[in-house]
Amino acid sequence: MRNYKNFIGNEFVAAGDEMIAVHDPATEELVGHVAAASMDEAYAAVTLAASAQQAWRRLPATERAQYMRRLADALCERAPQIGAALAAESGKSLADASSEALYAAEIVRYHAEWARRIEGEIIPSDSPSENLLLHREPIGVVACLIPFNYPVYTLLRKVAPALITGNTVVVRPSNNTPCSAFEIAKAVLDAGFPPGVINILAMSHATAEAVCTHPAVGMITLTGSVGAGRKVLEYSQVNIAKSSLELGGKTPAIIEPDADLVRAANEVVASKVTNCGQLCTAVERVYVHADVYEEFVRLLKVRFLSRQFGNRAHNPKFMGPLINASSRLGIHQMVQRAVDDGATLEAGGFIPEGPGFFYPPTLLTGCRQDMEIVQEEIFGPVLCVLRYQDIDEALRLANDHQFGLSSVLYTESYRTAMLVANNIEAGELYVNRTPADPYQGYHAGWKRSGLGGDDGKHGMLEFTQTRLVVLKY
């Protein structure tokens, strides 16, 4: 049994009596308790972060980078402990959970390298004897709201660029997967950060709102649902705080007749079942050219039917569970409505008996563009397949959507690749592969998939604001 307190000012504290119970989604067994932060603790964390930020921002960026490199080293050293906590609370295999900690260390190292590359601009003035100097400055205190699906990586994905640009952070991990965040807090202590620079608190929704609307919070960054994004926009109105939102996705994959069908099927299925489909860039709808539709559906069906699911602590090759019972029920009801609306169930589509929030890999054909299963994010191991006649129709269908986070194209034609690259309404296009979010890229959504973005130079600059100095000489 794991028991954790909140991490405020480099100390583990718990003033309130409320505890958050954490369960293993593969067994439904209780694996830990986390203290829910009181309002007083939350305000104290923001106050400490605001105070610490004054000294932190004045450090040369190269010195901030030294702390971050030590943090990366500490994450690697503590990867077994972080991984064990993450595996227990998420249903991931121990190997995958530990690897997530190592990958998180790499994004910390990546952002540490920006220390000597955060640049302003000198802009020509219309007036003689005058320069316009554009400075890049930190925003202040950043509230970081972390999802359950990749909670270790996403936490550092947000914290690292915030720190290198001179901000301090108050982090709220998901209440489904908070334990791993407090194992990360131990790595923060190992790295020797000044008190108040990184604060991690488990919170109720009400306490999270209080943090996000605190006058000292200048930015809120969220990875989550569209509904959560709307809430953050409400919070940001109070102080006109900057918002960076990575929200829902409904990744379309277009399969052209010249595609390597076996490779495409293997990769699409892997994208769909990784982490039980709980990934915002997982392929959710497949548009297949009529000439290869029957063959591609056959390849998908064989792979869906052969994919086993179960407790990954027993067999890491299994597809693991969904995060909780409500998620599973909502997905199953969506599948049932799709079948009632005319879709054909080719594989899966049932709730298994026994403990754990498992749901089988589920394949639906005969889907229409107007179906709920095509228009709404599933966030589970369910794939819907549609047929098209030519690439113009495929593009029209792929773009006919509220989301625009990621997209996929399989083709051997550079003309087709360039046509789609220039016309797809999404923040990312992956050609002949499925999404993987390279941390030197820029992970940003169009439409309802978000505002701003993560990763790379542009993701780092999200955590800055500008000051224009008009200098007469």
mmCIF file of all heavy atoms in Angstrom, residues 409 411 413-424 429 431:
data_model
loop_
_atom_site.group_PDB
_atom_site.id
_atom_site.type_symbol
_atom_site.label_atom_id
_atom_site.label_comp_id
_atom_site.label_asym_id
_atom_site.label_seq_id
_atom_site.Cartn_x
_atom_site.Cartn_y
_atom_site.Cartn_z
ATOM 1 N N LEU A 409 -1.387 9.228 -43.034
ATOM 2 C CA LEU A 409 -1.572 8.873 -44.438
ATOM 3 C C LEU A 409 -0.614 7.746 -44.803
ATOM 4 O O LEU A 409 0.590 7.824 -44.505
ATOM 5 C CB LEU A 409 -1.289 10.088 -45.336
ATOM 6 C CG LEU A 409 -1.183 9.820 -46.836
ATOM 7 C CD1 LEU A 409 -2.539 9.409 -47.413
ATOM 8 C CD2 LEU A 409 -0.641 11.042 -47.569
ATOM 9 N N THR A 411 0.733 6.002 -48.180
ATOM 10 C CA THR A 411 0.808 6.066 -49.632
ATOM 11 C C THR A 411 2.264 5.989 -50.052
ATOM 12 O O THR A 411 3.164 6.310 -49.270
ATOM 13 C CB THR A 411 0.181 7.362 -50.174
ATOM 14 O OG1 THR A 411 0.198 7.339 -51.611
ATOM 15 C CG2 THR A 411 0.957 8.586 -49.707
ATOM 16 N N SER A 413 2.947 7.588 -53.019
ATOM 17 C CA SER A 413 2.950 8.681 -53.985
ATOM 18 C C SER A 413 3.314 9.993 -53.296
ATOM 19 O O SER A 413 2.608 10.438 -52.390
ATOM 20 C CB SER A 413 1.575 8.805 -54.643
ATOM 21 O OG SER A 413 1.460 10.025 -55.346
ATOM 22 N N TYR A 414 4.393 10.638 -53.758
ATOM 23 C CA TYR A 414 4.763 11.909 -53.144
ATOM 24 C C TYR A 414 3.734 12.982 -53.498
ATOM 25 O O TYR A 414 3.519 13.918 -52.717
ATOM 26 C CB TYR A 414 6.172 12.333 -53.557
ATOM 27 C CG TYR A 414 6.307 12.946 -54.926
ATOM 28 C CD1 TYR A 414 6.161 14.324 -55.115
ATOM 29 C CD2 TYR A 414 6.584 12.165 -56.033
ATOM 30 C CE1 TYR A 414 6.278 14.884 -56.362
ATOM 31 C CE2 TYR A 414 6.701 12.712 -57.290
ATOM 32 C CZ TYR A 414 6.549 14.082 -57.459
ATOM 33 O OH TYR A 414 6.661 14.642 -58.707
ATOM 34 N N ARG A 415 3.093 12.857 -54.654
ATOM 35 C CA ARG A 415 2.058 13.825 -55.025
ATOM 36 C C ARG A 415 0.878 13.756 -54.051
ATOM 37 O O ARG A 415 0.377 14.781 -53.587
ATOM 38 C CB ARG A 415 1.582 13.575 -56.460
ATOM 39 C CG ARG A 415 2.607 13.929 -57.525
ATOM 40 C CD ARG A 415 2.027 13.731 -58.931
ATOM 41 N NE ARG A 415 2.963 14.182 -59.948
ATOM 42 C CZ ARG A 415 3.898 13.418 -60.496
ATOM 43 N NH1 ARG A 415 4.027 12.151 -60.093
ATOM 44 N NH2 ARG A 415 4.713 13.899 -61.420
ATOM 45 N N THR A 416 0.472 12.540 -53.735
ATOM 46 C CA THR A 416 -0.613 12.385 -52.763
ATOM 47 C C THR A 416 -0.187 12.892 -51.389
ATOM 48 O O THR A 416 -0.957 13.572 -50.697
ATOM 49 C CB THR A 416 -1.036 10.908 -52.667
ATOM 50 O OG1 THR A 416 -1.455 10.462 -53.955
ATOM 51 C CG2 THR A 416 -2.166 10.722 -51.670
ATOM 52 N N ALA A 417 1.046 12.570 -50.988
ATOM 53 C CA ALA A 417 1.545 13.020 -49.688
ATOM 54 C C ALA A 417 1.535 14.539 -49.603
ATOM 55 O O ALA A 417 1.118 15.116 -48.582
ATOM 56 C CB ALA A 417 2.947 12.477 -49.445
ATOM 57 N N MET A 418 1.980 15.224 -50.661
ATOM 58 C CA MET A 418 2.014 16.679 -50.635
ATOM 59 C C MET A 418 0.605 17.269 -50.685
ATOM 60 O O MET A 418 0.320 18.284 -50.034
ATOM 61 C CB MET A 418 2.853 17.213 -51.790
ATOM 62 C CG MET A 418 4.347 16.960 -51.625
ATOM 63 S SD MET A 418 4.993 17.483 -50.000
ATOM 64 C CE MET A 418 4.560 19.227 -50.000
ATOM 65 N N LEU A 419 -0.294 16.641 -51.434
ATOM 66 C CA LEU A 419 -1.675 17.111 -51.480
ATOM 67 C C LEU A 419 -2.294 17.078 -50.086
ATOM 68 O O LEU A 419 -2.924 18.057 -49.639
ATOM 69 C CB LEU A 419 -2.494 16.251 -52.440
ATOM 70 C CG LEU A 419 -3.997 16.555 -52.497
ATOM 71 C CD1 LEU A 419 -4.245 17.914 -53.126
ATOM 72 C CD2 LEU A 419 -4.747 15.455 -53.258
ATOM 73 N N VAL A 420 -2.114 15.960 -49.393
ATOM 74 C CA VAL A 420 -2.681 15.832 -48.049
ATOM 75 C C VAL A 420 -1.963 16.770 -47.075
ATOM 76 O O VAL A 420 -2.596 17.439 -46.244
ATOM 77 C CB VAL A 420 -2.627 14.369 -47.568
ATOM 78 C CG1 VAL A 420 -3.103 14.251 -46.121
ATOM 79 C CG2 VAL A 420 -3.475 13.476 -48.477
ATOM 80 N N ALA A 421 -0.641 16.842 -47.165
ATOM 81 C CA ALA A 421 0.118 17.716 -46.261
ATOM 82 C C ALA A 421 -0.324 19.161 -46.371
ATOM 83 O O ALA A 421 -0.331 19.904 -45.379
ATOM 84 C CB ALA A 421 1.617 17.593 -46.565
ATOM 85 N N ASN A 422 -0.717 19.591 -47.567
ATOM 86 C CA ASN A 422 -1.107 20.988 -47.777
ATOM 87 C C ASN A 422 -2.575 21.254 -47.509
ATOM 88 O O ASN A 422 -2.993 22.421 -47.508
ATOM 89 C CB ASN A 422 -0.770 21.417 -49.201
ATOM 90 C CG ASN A 422 0.718 21.559 -49.425
ATOM 91 O OD1 ASN A 422 1.465 21.853 -48.504
ATOM 92 N ND2 ASN A 422 1.156 21.336 -50.658
ATOM 93 N N ASN A 423 -3.350 20.199 -47.271
ATOM 94 C CA ASN A 423 -4.798 20.405 -47.140
ATOM 95 C C ASN A 423 -5.425 19.767 -45.908
ATOM 96 O O ASN A 423 -6.593 20.041 -45.620
ATOM 97 C CB ASN A 423 -5.513 19.872 -48.393
ATOM 98 C CG ASN A 423 -5.226 20.718 -49.615
ATOM 99 O OD1 ASN A 423 -5.830 21.763 -49.810
ATOM 100 N ND2 ASN A 423 -4.288 20.270 -50.442
ATOM 101 N N ILE A 424 -4.703 18.922 -45.175
ATOM 102 C CA ILE A 424 -5.299 18.295 -43.998
ATOM 103 C C ILE A 424 -5.489 19.339 -42.901
ATOM 104 O O ILE A 424 -4.633 20.197 -42.675
ATOM 105 C CB ILE A 424 -4.418 17.116 -43.486
ATOM 106 C CG1 ILE A 424 -5.210 16.254 -42.504
ATOM 107 C CG2 ILE A 424 -3.117 17.614 -42.869
ATOM 108 C CD1 ILE A 424 -6.260 15.396 -43.135
ATOM 109 N N LEU A 429 0.670 15.717 -39.389
ATOM 110 C CA LEU A 429 0.440 14.668 -40.368
ATOM 111 C C LEU A 429 1.607 13.698 -40.306
ATOM 112 O O LEU A 429 2.772 14.115 -40.411
ATOM 113 C CB LEU A 429 0.318 15.227 -41.785
ATOM 114 C CG LEU A 429 0.278 14.170 -42.906
ATOM 115 C CD1 LEU A 429 -1.006 13.338 -42.818
ATOM 116 C CD2 LEU A 429 0.412 14.811 -44.282
ATOM 117 N N VAL A 431 3.198 10.501 -42.259
ATOM 118 C CA VAL A 431 3.146 9.794 -43.530
ATOM 119 C C VAL A 431 3.852 8.458 -43.390
ATOM 120 O O VAL A 431 5.030 8.383 -43.028
ATOM 121 C CB VAL A 431 3.785 10.628 -44.655
ATOM 122 C CG1 VAL A 431 3.693 9.882 -45.990
ATOM 123 C CG2 VAL A 431 3.106 11.999 -44.762
#
